[in-house]
Each structure stands twice: as structure tokens, then as C-alpha cells.
Amino acid sequence: MRDVAVYGVGTSVFGKQPEATVFDLAWQACAEALDDARVDRVDAVFAATVFEPTGTAQRILHGLGIAGVPVVVVENACASATIAYHEAYESIRRGRYEVVLAMGIEQMSSRITGAIQPQLSDPEGQMGFAQPARYAMAAQRYMYRYGVTPEQLAAVAVKNSENGAANDRARHQHALTVDQVLGSRMIADPLTLYQCCSISDGAAAAVLGPPRQGAADVSIRSSELVGGALWDYTTDDVPGFDIVRRAGRGAYQMADAVPDDVDVFEVHDAFTIGEIVSSEALGIVDPGLGAELVASGGSAVSGTRPINPSGGLLARGHPLGATGLAQVAEIVWQLRGRAGARQVAGAKLGLVETAGGGAAGLDWTACAVSILEGNGE
Amino acid sequence: MRDVAVYGVGTSVFGKQPEATVFDLAWQACAEALDDARVDRVDAVFAATVFEPTGTAQRILHGLGIAGVPVVVVENACASATIAYHEAYESIRRGRYEVVLAMGIEQMSSRITGAIQPQLSDPEGQMGFAQPARYAMAAQRYMYRYGVTPEQLAAVAVKNSENGAANDRARHQHALTVDQVLGSRMIADPLTLYQCCSISDGAAAAVLGPPRQGAADVSIRSSELVGGALWDYTTDDVPGFDIVRRAGRGAYQMADAVPDDVDVFEVHDAFTIGEIVSSEALGIVDPGLGAELVASGGSAVSGTRPINPSGGLLARGHPLGATGLAQVAEIVWQLRGRAGARQVAGAKLGLVETAGGGAAGLDWTACAVSILEGNGE
């Protein structure tokens, strides 16, 4: 098996932009990624979307002048784009293709009004047990167990809003205060509106291939995909996140790294509690200390363990099929030292983590974790 | 790279069965495939669907007691299931996973009324240029060029209806006459209703893994996935089907076989003209002789070049995300000598071909071709 690198990345602006078609968004992201990668062809495409109809990815590629190569469209809820990236990685690593485009696309605001509704065929969905309710239950239990306060929980949204304010492609670019976060409308106690990621429109892309001589490419040290239950209903360990732990363990092992080696993280903060529990599952902090890490500024861009410098799902927005590759793009920019006002100083090793479990109550979730390394350029 | 075998296959009944949920259909297909394969675990799942909402495959697996393994959902229009099969094949061949479940699912009749509508965002869709119109144009040109008659075209539907009458899992199990086919409602001249495949509900599955000692497994001699234009608008060669030719060429080469070596074919007969042109693109007959082959009985189960013994998409029905794996199941049954009244005598080598190009006018299509070999058991 051979090494794999990211040659280039690109994203559209993320936001509520119903006037932009999915083609507008995708062409922007893919053109930037292909230009950044300095390649004149790709051998295959792995595309990700949750809601776009069949043929959308192919029509995007047609418009880009990419023709005559295999295209595989993948869907795994919120982790769709990270899985497109993972499949691209595996296809190169194992010698199936040379240069591969991974792209994630989603135009949600013209299609979905309000929140994503649970499916009525789903027993948990019938009970109204959508994602906010699920995360809220975990948050309640977590707060009870570790004595965490609503203010500490809100600190995640505050930090990510500050990071988003330095990201001109983020959906939300206004720094929030703890009072603003806690004062926003209650969605599922204790999660207020500003503690939930927003439906968004966006696209992101990456071009992957075997390492090149002297290029500004970023090495993929590891990529791990696992499936299982995100939430553990069988023990008192309600936050669960065992699959994040497993995917992280696999990715660290393959990269021959430990959590302390990693300089910057993009993790799946669909809700504030998600970032806290993920940071523990990924070994960034010990269990129970995730809230303290963020409240103390430790996970700020200037902190010792920077998490979600892009603003994360909370501030960048969460167009389901695009998010994972936007996380990859942020880490690539960070490792190249080109993240502008939100640059983590001297970042050499970065980690992407995305969990995807469907819109309605699923005990079945995918988690993908990848560790990337800059070449010091 | 190592060899890959099909351990077991299964399908639901295919038909218009709005009372059956996608879970009923999928559980039936997967349980049969897992039982047939005699395995007690799988390491990963590649699932295919075009219309089912996010999370459906995972909930099906949850119900089957399959948990804790990676699941990748793929979508490539009519070729979705063949691509799930191809991704499973590649993942084993290249040492990524050991035993993999590929499954295809689609519950259409409870969701789609009438024909699949073109997308209004698609310029060709706006013109009403849906699949029947496209195939009809190719049929007109083909008939003009080769002097083929409507009766010869209808012979495909007649043959496949006869095969479907011997397949108790087919949607249509009544042998049709040429008069019945030509007398059915005109959809897109010259294609009458009975020359178009039907929206259906169904599921199909296969379990793949490395070859086992002394098992009734079927070897995968090759599997090829290509992308490109199905129709050639740039020359007089309107039927085009260049991607079928390319995928076939790749599959024959990898299998070290020529078309004459293959004893039984399952090809993508979404419309009667599709089977004719595919049979030429796959080298089963010379260009221009596809209609004569079927009209003369050469592609009947008892003929020298049996095509679509299952009844094909025309008689078995076409639940988009399930079809490719139903084709694989038919070939596996044929190569094991267990196809009952529609058994092709002494079949040793079989070929599956599926093309998938979206519901609306796309110049971009996927084509997957696989050649399988029985072990003489």
C-alpha cells in the first residue's frame, strides 16, 4: 500500500443562499480544489450528498468538463463527505486509481424548511426523537455526572462563533456572548438555538493522489472508518461516543501518533455537547474535562488544544453532504499556514472527525477520522 | 490482489407490492443471501438505493442484527446495486475487507406514481426528455439504419416475458405475444408500454469474500466500472453505448475471456432497444444483428446466446437500487445449475451488465460489467 496526499482543496461560501444552485456551489468548490491541486485530470470521482437527487453529481462534473471517468456517489448522513474522502483515500492507497476528486454538495435551504424532520417509518422518529432531542439527553446526563454548568456548555458556541467571525466562508460570522447563546430560543433542554448547527447550503472538494515531489501537498497519515452505536443506552455512560473513540484509536495507531501530537482538530460539533464529548473520545482531554477545556480557553485558536478553528458546524453551518470535506479543507489550510486570522501557529499535524447517523433515531452511526500532516512549507 | 467469490445471493419477490415495506423486502433478500453464504459475520456493507431516505440501509442492518461494521451507501441511478457489488469486490480484492455484504433496496410503488419525472432543474428534463424518449430516439435511428421492424423490436419483450413466466420472483409472469406488445399503449414511438420496464419494489443481496475450499461459491473473474456517455450525439452512431462496449472490453480482458466463452448474460434491458444495442456492444452479436438474434430465438434460454433468462428488467421489474444485485443473483443461480425452468443448460460462465444514468437527460452514465464463473458443482 502506498502513501496518499491531499493535492488541493476548495469550498464554496457556506450559508443560507437559496439563490445559489447546487451547481453554483459545487463548481466554485471543485474549481478551487482542482486549481489548488494543479492537476489537469482526475481518474475517478467520489461524490457525497444526502438530499440531492440522482444525477446531480454527474451533471456538476459535466459542467466542469470532467467526463469519461467512474463516479461513485456515497451517502452516510452527516459523515457523507468524510466517507467520500475516505473512499478516495482507500482507492489511491490500494492502487485502484491515481488522482481522485472527492466532493461534497448540499443545497438545503431551497428544499428543507425548519428542522430536518424525523421519518415517520422510524419508531423513534414517531416519538419526535430527532437529533436535538438525542443530543439534549446526552447533555443532561453529562451535566449531571460532571457538574457541568449551562455556561460551560454555551462556551463551545461562543468559541466557535468567535472562530466563525474570522472565517469569511462561514454561515455565521458574528461572535456571540454566553448570554446570547443561553438567551436564544430553547430547542431541546439544555440546548438553545445557538447550540445547534444550522441548515446550510455549501460544497467542498479535495483532490487526492500519491505523494508528489516538492509540492505543497498535505500527507494523509491515516484515515479510519467505523460503524456502530454513537449512543450507549445499555450502561450509565449515556454520552457513549464509543465509535468516535474507536475511529480515533484506529487513526492514531495508523498514523503512529498520540492525541498530544496533534496541533489542530476539526470535530463534529453538530451541537455544543457533541464537541465536548468528541474531544474526550478523541483523547484531547480526559473524560469529564471537555467542558472545562473550552470554558478555560484551552480549545481556542490561541489555546493549547485548538478545536474547530473554522467555526465548526455551529458557525460554518452544516450542509450535510459537504461538511466533512470542509473540515478537511480547513485542516489543509491550517497545515499550510494559510488560515489567516484563525491560523493555529505552527500547526504540523491536524485531525478531522465526522459522525453521521441519519436524520432520525438511529443506533447505527458512521464515524470517520483522518490525521493529516503538513510538509513544513 | 486476490481472487473474490460470491458466497451467496438472495432476493425478495420483485413486484408492485406497496404493502411491503423496504425493510420486509430487504430482510428477505439479505437473510437469504447470508444463509446461502453460510457466514456468521460480515466485515462491511455496501448498500445501494436511489430513492430511500438516509439511514434506511442502517436500520435494515440493525434489524438483521448486523452491527458495528462500516456501511457505505452508494447511489448511481439504475446501476446502483451493481456498483455496490463492484465496490464490495474491489474492497476484498485489494485486501481492505474479508467478507462483505452488498445489498440493493428500493420501495418505489409507495413513493412514485406514474413514471419517474425528469428534474425541472435539468434542461433536458424541462423538454420532457426522460429515459423513454431517449431510448425511443435511439430505437428510431436503429430501425432506420438496420431495417429492423417493430415486430423484431417487440420480440425482446416477448422473450423476456416468457422467461419471466418461469421466474416466480418476477413482477410480470405472463408470456406476451408480439401483438400484445405492439398493441399496448404507446409511450414514446416506437416503444409501447410493454417495451418499457416497470417501476417495482424489491431487494437483492450478495455476500462476497475470498475463495473458500470446497464451497459452492461462484468466482468473480472480473468486474469493471466505467463512466461516460451512453448516447453518442456527435456522430451518426445514435445508439452509441460506447461505455457498455468499454466496460465489456475491460471485463473480458480481465477475465481472459471472449464473448463466445460466456454461456449466459443478464443485461440492462430497461427498454427493448436497450437489450438489442447492449448485446451488440458486449460482442454477443455483430452490430445490426441484435434484433435478428432475439427474433430468431438465439437469445432464448434454449438458444445459443441466452440473454436475460430471469426476464430482465422488462419482466422482473426494475426497482432501481436493487436491479444490479438481482442480475448477479440470477447469474449465480444459473452457474450453480439451480435456475429451475429457466436454467441455461451447462452454464459455466455468466455476465452481468448494468447501465445507470439518472432519471433525467444525462450525458453521463455509469456502466458496470462483471463476469462470473461456476465451479462445476
Side-chain angles (χ1 to χ4, degrees):
Chain A
M1 281 182 288
R2 58 181 173 175
D3 292 336
V4 184
V6 179
Y7 290 177
V9 292
T11 77
S12 70
V13 169
F14 277 41
K16 187 171 185 173
Q17 33 195 346
E19 74 291 352
T21 68
V22 70
F23 300 96
D24 298 331
L25 301 169
W27 288 331
Q28 205 175 329
C30 291
E32 185 180 33
L34 291 162
D35 188 52
D36 188 30
R38 289 158 293 125
V39 297
D40 54 13
R41 61 157 234 292
V42 298
D43 301 310
V45 179
F46 289 89
T49 180
V50 178
F51 297 109
E52 298 302 329
T54 182
T56 305
Q58 287 84 347
R59 286 159 60 204
I60 288 166
L61 295 166
H62 182 78
L64 283 165
I66 296 178
V69 301
V71 181
V72 177
V73 181
V74 302
E75 184 277 310
N76 277 63
C78 305
S80 296
T82 325
I83 289 171
Y85 162 87
H86 180 76
E87 295 299 304
Y89 163 79
E90 287 283 5
S91 75
I92 297 160
R93 183 178 178 227
R94 295 174 187 276
R96 182 175 164 195
Y97 299 124
E98 287 295 309
V99 179
V100 178
L101 173 67
M103 73 168 178
I105 56 171
E106 214 76 74
Q107 222 299 347
M108 297 176 79
S109 69
S110 63
R111 187 173 291 122
I112 293 165
T113 52
I116 298 174
Q117 296 301 310
Q119 292 148 28
L120 291 182
S121 62
D122 177 354
E124 295 192 355
Q126 287 173 356
M127 295 187 290
F129 200 42
Q131 294 286 21
R134 191 185 290 273
Y135 275 90
M137 282 174 59
Q140 290 286 8
R141 178 73 188 176
Y142 186 90
M143 292 166 80
Y144 168 80
R145 173 184 290 183
Y146 294 116
V148 165
T149 64
E151 287 73 17
Q152 287 176 311
L153 203 62
V156 176
V158 170
K159 167 186 67 81
N160 289 355
S161 73
E162 286 165 356
N163 293 349
N167 181 356
D168 62 8
R169 297 185 186 188
R171 167 156 185 185
H172 303 295
Q173 301 181 25
H174 301 286
L176 299 168
T177 65
V178 167
D179 286 348
Q180 283 174 316
V181 172
L182 293 180
S184 65
R185 183 158 62 89
M186 182 61 71
I187 300 298
D189 195 359
L191 299 176
T192 54
L193 182 64
Y194 294 165
Q195 301 190 55
C196 307
C197 61
S198 303
I199 283 174
S200 296
D201 312 312
V207 179
L208 279 64
R212 300 184 293 193
Q213 286 287 330
D217 300 343
V218 165
S219 301
I220 302 178
R221 288 269 295 263
S222 64
S223 182
E224 177 82 344
L225 168 64
V226 306
L230 187 60
W231 311 99
D232 181 0
Y233 294 136
T234 61
T235 71
D236 277 354
D237 183 29
V238 173
F241 275 54
D242 177 57
I243 58 163
V244 180
R245 205 169 289 116
R246 277 203 287 131
R249 202 157 48 215
Y252 288 126
Q253 195 173 342
M254 194 188 303
D256 194 20
V258 297
D260 279 354
D261 296 336
V262 180
D263 303 303
V264 55
F265 300 84
E266 283 279 315
V267 311
H268 192 72
D269 61 327
F271 302 89
T272 47
I273 183 67
E275 179 175 309
I276 291 172
V277 181
S278 296
S279 67
E280 299 174 5
L282 291 168
I284 305 172
V285 283
D286 287 337
L289 300 181
E292 193 180 299
L293 176 73
V294 59
S296 69
S299 55
V301 166
S302 59
T304 54
R305 317 263 60 215
I307 299 175
N308 288 327
S310 70
L313 282 61
L314 287 169
R316 186 180 51 230
H318 184 28
L320 272 65
T323 284
L325 281 158
Q327 294 175 301
V328 169
E330 175 70 13
I331 291 296
V332 166
W333 290 327
Q334 290 284 348
L335 298 179
R336 287 173 171 172
R338 298 181 195 167
R342 61 185 194 279
Q343 178 67 46
V344 171
K348 293 275 175 285
L349 216 57
L351 180 148
V352 168
E353 178 268 331
T354 328
L362 277 181
D363 276 341
W364 193 292
T365 311
C367 185
V369 173
S370 179
I371 297 175
L372 299 96
E373 181 175 21
N375 71 359
E377 189 230 21
Chain B
M1 280 182 288
R2 57 183 175 173
D3 293 336
V4 183
V6 179
Y7 290 177
V9 293
T11 77
S12 71
V13 168
F14 277 39
K16 187 171 185 173
Q17 35 196 343
E19 75 291 352
T21 69
V22 72
F23 300 95
D24 298 332
L25 301 169
W27 288 332
Q28 204 175 333
C30 291
E32 184 181 34
L34 291 161
D35 188 53
D36 188 29
R38 288 158 294 125
V39 295
D40 53 14
R41 62 156 234 291
V42 299
D43 300 311
V45 178
F46 289 88
T49 180
V50 178
F51 297 108
E52 299 301 330
T54 182
T56 304
Q58 287 83 348
R59 286 159 60 205
I60 288 165
L61 294 166
H62 182 78
L64 283 167
I66 296 178
V69 301
V71 180
V72 178
V73 180
V74 302
E75 184 276 310
N76 277 64
C78 305
S80 297
T82 326
I83 289 170
Y85 161 87
H86 180 77
E87 295 299 304
Y89 163 78
E90 287 284 4
S91 75
I92 297 160
R93 183 178 177 227
R94 296 174 187 276
R96 182 173 163 197
Y97 299 125
E98 288 294 310
V99 179
V100 178
L101 173 66
M103 73 168 178
I105 56 171
E106 213 76 75
Q107 222 299 347
M108 298 176 77
S109 69
S110 62
R111 185 173 293 121
I112 294 165
T113 52
I116 298 174
Q117 296 301 311
Q119 292 149 28
L120 291 182
S121 61
D122 177 354
E124 296 193 354
Q126 286 173 357
M127 295 188 290
F129 200 44
Q131 294 287 21
R134 189 185 289 274
Y135 275 90
M137 281 173 61
Q140 291 286 8
R141 179 73 188 174
Y142 186 92
M143 291 166 80
Y144 168 80
R145 174 183 288 181
Y146 295 115
V148 165
T149 64
E151 287 73 18
Q152 286 177 311
L153 203 62
V156 175
V158 170
K159 167 188 66 84
N160 289 355
S161 73
E162 286 166 356
N163 293 349
N167 180 355
D168 61 8
R169 296 185 185 187
R171 166 155 186 187
H172 302 295
Q173 301 180 26
H174 301 286
L176 299 168
T177 65
V178 168
D179 286 348
Q180 283 174 317
V181 172
L182 293 180
S184 64
R185 184 158 61 88
M186 182 60 73
I187 300 298
D189 195 359
L191 300 175
T192 54
L193 181 64
Y194 294 166
Q195 301 190 55
C196 307
C197 62
S198 305
I199 282 174
S200 297
D201 312 311
V207 178
L208 279 64
R212 301 183 292 193
Q213 286 288 329
D217 301 343
V218 164
S219 301
I220 302 179
R221 287 269 295 263
S222 65
S223 183
E224 177 81 343
L225 168 65
V226 306
L230 187 58
W231 311 99
D232 181 1
Y233 295 135
T234 61
T235 72
D236 278 354
D237 184 28
V238 173
F241 275 56
D242 178 57
I243 58 163
V244 180
R245 205 167 290 115
R246 277 202 287 131
R249 202 156 49 216
Y252 288 127
Q253 197 173 339
M254 191 187 305
D256 194 21
V258 296
D260 279 354
D261 295 335
V262 179
D263 304 302
V264 56
F265 300 84
E266 283 279 314
V267 311
H268 192 73
D269 61 327
F271 302 89
T272 47
I273 183 68
E275 179 174 310
I276 291 172
V277 182
S278 297
S279 67
E280 298 173 5
L282 291 168
I284 305 172
V285 283
D286 287 337
L289 300 182
E292 193 181 300
L293 177 73
V294 59
S296 68
S299 55
V301 166
S302 58
T304 55
R305 316 263 62 213
I307 299 175
N308 288 327
S310 70
L313 282 61
L314 286 170
R316 186 180 51 230
H318 184 27
L320 272 66
T323 284
L325 281 158
Q327 294 176 302
V328 169
E330 176 69 13
I331 291 296
V332 167
W333 291 327
Q334 290 284 347
L335 298 179
R336 286 174 172 173
R338 298 181 195 167
R342 61 186 194 279
Q343 178 66 46
V344 171
K348 293 275 177 282
L349 215 57
L351 180 148
V352 167
E353 179 268 330
T354 329
L362 277 180
D363 276 342
W364 192 293
T365 309
C367 185
V369 173
S370 180
I371 297 176
L372 299 97
E373 182 175 21
N375 70 359
E377 187 230 23

